[in-house]
Structures are given as structure tokens and as C-alpha cells.
Amino acid sequence: MNLFRRSLIAAAATAVLASPFAAQAQDFKPRMIRFGYGLNEQSNQGRAVKLFADAVEKASGGKMKVRAIGAAALGPDTQMQQALIGGAQEMMVGSTATLVGISKEMALWDTPFLFNNAKEADTILDGPIGQKVMAKLNEKGLVGLVYWENGFRNLTNSKRAVNKLEDLDGVKLRVMQNNVYLDSFKTLGANAVPLPFSELFSALETKTVDGQENPYNTILSSKFYEVQKYLSITNHVYSPWIVTVSKKWWDGLTAAEQKVLMDAARLSRDFERKDTREEAGRALGDLKAKGMLINEVPVAEVNRMRDKLTRVNASIGANVGMELWTETQTALVKLRGAK
Ligand code: TK8
């Protein structure tokens, strides 16, 4: 062995000993983490996954590597969730709404008009209630790390501007695969059709469905403006994303490795929310420039929608458990009184 190589190895050994990853020094092979997500690389979701990947690689000194796989190349949310539970995939980020079939408490976040603004969402999601809902995933083979912002959802369709409740009548509207969404939009008079997000663009393009609902960011990054004429602002629900890990895999990590992931997840959360809010702030202008016709649904009409949906609220309460439901309502009242 020549001198140069020898000193290189010595230097590497020192670096390894100095890091909490010393235990793996002998048979160094980076841990590969397949991290799947549904949106494009050029989206708020894609940017935050990239930031997470870089943070993990840096904090672990290259011993943990994240392979970010977007555009649902590993399958739609529900498929990835099963891969995580089985241990065939390590990580993903997706909608909490598609987790309801696995963990019923997640339906809490589907409550129409639950949060009035992003501040309320952050406080509840990052506080004891959000953490309690997240912890329920552990019984199901998943570990939740953090919530990201998907955002307040709005309606788009190719038929007509929605200015009043009745304009939704018979509109074939794609919803997420979840009974609360299905129920909500049926109650509002739409012909609600559950579909995975990965099939949505082509369903809109071929007019298999007339419309959908998502935050401005997604309407922009998924290019829905190419196949949707009308955007009607309702802000009918705040949707979180959640970063999840396969519990099977997580349980085999060292405490130091788990910490690297948790720290990077928190960094990604703070970055993602900021990035999403900035993008949402300019997205309406961008969508208008792309040719969408945008209208704000009058408050009185939004209130009519809200009233119609109280029936749905009652069933969400029953499904997630009245204790959790009441705790959330009480926390929100308190939060609103405090400002
Ligand atoms: C992306 C989805 C998306 C969600 C939906 O995988 O399905 O409409 O809003 O963000 O999770």
C-alpha cells in the first residue's frame, strides 16, 4: 500500500470516528433511502424532497443517501404506503387524506373549513393534537415525521365558473380516494369520482372528469391550466402532506440515524411551508397569465357550502372519535380567542 493511500485511509478513519456513525466504519455501504412522492420534480413537493435529501446526506457524512423519486414513479400514494408498511420502500411524502383507510384519525384534516389560516394549521398540526394523530400511524407499520403544507384547496373545472353552490350540480369532479371527500362533494351536488392523483391530468385531458380541487401550487406545477378553464376560489379545506417512514426499516436504524432523518425532516418542513406560501402568493397571477379564468366565490355562497357540510362534520367526528374531535374544536376556539 503506498503512502498516499495509507494517509487517505487514516484521514477517513478519523473522520468516521468523529461522527456518530463510527459503528458502520468497517463495512461502509451507504444506507439507500428510496423517497417517493407524487408531484413533479419542479414543484413545492419536489423542491422540499431535494432539500431533505441534501440535508440527510450532509448530516450523515454521506453514509445515508436519499434517492428522490417523484411523479408517482413508485406508484400513487396508496401503493407507496403499502410498500412502506411491507418494508419494500423506505420513505414517502403524500396526502394525509389517502392515509385515512389505514389510520382513521387522519380524517380529522379532511374536515371542510377546519382551519381559517396557515397559522392555525401550523399550530394544531405541530402541537399535541397533530402529534397524537401522527403517532397513531405507528400501530399500522408507519412512522410519521412531520407535516408539510399542501395548502388550501380550490376548485377548477372545464365547464363553468362556480359562483354559487348550484353551479357544482352534476360537475364530474375528481376527489382524493377518501370517504370524507367523496361525501363532501356529493353533498355539494357534484358528481364526485375518486381517482389517484397520478391519473388526474389525463382524466382531465380526456374529459373523463370535468374538474378537480387542489391548492394553487399544484394547479400550477401539474399544469392543470392546460386542461382546465375555470378556477373558483373556495379555500374549502386545508390539506397537509405528511412525511412517513417504513416502521419496519426505521426500527432497524441506530438512534443517530433516526436523528439525522428527524432533523432533516424538520428543516424540510420549515423550508417547504415558506416556499409553498411564497409560490401560492404569486401562483394566481401565473395562472391568470396562462389563461385561466379566476373568480372568487362570494362569502355568502361559501357559507352556504359550509352549512351544507355540517352533516359531514358530524360523521367525521364519529369516525375519528368524539374526544379527538372535541379537543380539536376546543383548541381552535382557544387559539382564535388568543389573537
Ligand atoms: C400528490 C397528492 C396531491 C393531493 C391530491 O401525490 O391527490 O389531490 O392534493 O398533493 O397527494
Side-chain angles (χ1 to χ4, degrees):
M1 192 188 293
N2 70 37
L3 211 65
F4 177 65
R5 228 179 108 87
R6 202 183 294 234
S7 63
L8 258 190
I9 289 170
T14 325
V16 163
L17 285 174
S19 91
F21 293 89
Q24 285 172 34
Q26 279 81 18
D27 58 330
F28 172 66
K29 198 161 120 250
R31 277 208 195 265
M32 285 306 295
I33 303 166
R34 277 156 302 179
F35 190 134
Y37 61 99
L39 298 195
N40 302 318
E41 216 177 301
Q42 303 300 329
S43 69
N44 52 343
Q45 204 176 47
R47 290 189 291 272
V49 174
K50 171 94 174 47
L51 181 124
F52 173 83
D54 291 347
V56 168
E57 184 146 357
K58 187 156 174 254
S60 68
K63 299 201 172 52
M64 299 170 87
K65 279 201 180 350
V66 177
R67 197 143 70 81
I69 306 161
L74 292 178
D77 285 6
T78 48
Q79 192 180 322
M80 290 197 284
Q81 288 153 10
Q82 293 307 326
L84 261 63
I85 291 169
Q89 182 183 328
E90 291 75 30
M91 290 188 72
M92 66 173 286
V93 62
S95 176
T96 54
T98 51
L99 272 172
V100 172
I102 293 171
S103 195
K104 62 181 170 37
E105 290 81 5
M106 282 290 161
L108 182 60
W109 315 128
D110 300 330
T111 308
F113 303 103
L114 182 67
F115 300 132
N116 288 336
N117 52 56
K119 176 104 199 308
E120 286 184 3
D122 292 356
T123 308
I124 299 291
L125 289 165
D126 299 345
I129 295 172
Q131 297 312 298
K132 185 154 62 178
V133 170
M134 193 185 263
K136 286 278 176 195
L137 289 174
N138 296 352
E139 302 159 18
K140 309 290 179 179
L142 296 168
V143 177
L145 297 187
V146 287
Y147 294 103
W148 287 357
E149 172 158 295
N150 186 352
F152 283 98
R153 303 178 79 91
N154 292 290
L155 292 167
T156 69
N157 81 92
S158 54
K159 281 197 136 168
R160 55 178 170 257
V162 175
N163 277 301
K164 56 180 190 308
L165 181 54
E166 287 71 18
D167 292 333
L168 270 173
D169 267 357
V171 171
K172 243 186 154 185
L173 191 84
R174 175 271 177 176
V175 293
M176 290 193 277
Q177 298 147 292
N178 157 321
N179 282 334
V180 179
Y181 273 89
L182 199 57
D183 234 33
S184 297
F185 282 98
K186 278 189 177 158
T187 303
L188 294 178
N191 180 359
V193 187
L195 268 185
F197 185 82
S198 48
E199 288 170 29
L200 181 50
F201 186 91
S202 85
L204 293 169
E205 191 175 34
T206 57
K207 300 237 161 56
T208 306
V209 293
D210 305 315
Q212 63 89 43
E213 41 86 53
N214 253 300
Y216 301 146
N217 308 65
T218 299
I219 299 168
L220 192 61
S221 64
S222 292
K223 298 191 162 52
F224 290 160
Y225 54 81
E226 289 180 358
V227 287
Q228 298 278 272
K229 188 81 193 157
Y230 304 99
L231 165 56
S232 303
I233 303 174
T234 48
N235 292 311
H236 52 270
V237 68
Y238 177 94
S239 233
W241 279 323
I242 185 168
V243 176
T244 47
V245 187
S246 158
K247 186 162 189 306
K248 228 181 205 175
W249 180 74
W250 175 263
D251 288 344
L253 298 180
T254 65
E257 288 171 324
Q258 291 179 351
K259 185 173 182 312
V260 165
L261 294 181
M262 194 62 221
D263 289 349
R266 292 211 177 98
L267 269 183
S268 73
R269 173 192 66 196
D270 296 345
F271 165 83
E272 193 273 346
R273 285 180 180 161
K274 196 160 168 279
D275 178 52
T276 298
R277 286 162 198 173
E278 273 168 22
E279 184 183 50
R282 16 182 184 85
L284 269 189
D286 292 353
L287 291 169
K288 204 179 275 175
K290 303 276 187 201
M292 286 195 98
L293 296 176
I294 302 172
N295 71 288
E296 205 159 324
V297 182
V299 180
E301 282 303 314
V302 173
N303 285 339
R304 281 182 72 214
M305 294 179 184
R306 194 192 285 249
D307 288 348
K308 272 224 142 183
L309 290 168
T310 45
R311 189 186 63 77
V312 177
N313 285 3
S315 77
I316 300 172
N319 278 323
V320 304
M322 275 325 274
E323 202 178 312
L324 178 63
W325 177 263
T326 312
E327 187 185 353
T328 310
Q329 294 303 327
T330 309
L332 282 168
V333 168
K334 206 169 143 206
L335 210 59
R336 285 163 194 166
K339 61 161 193 254

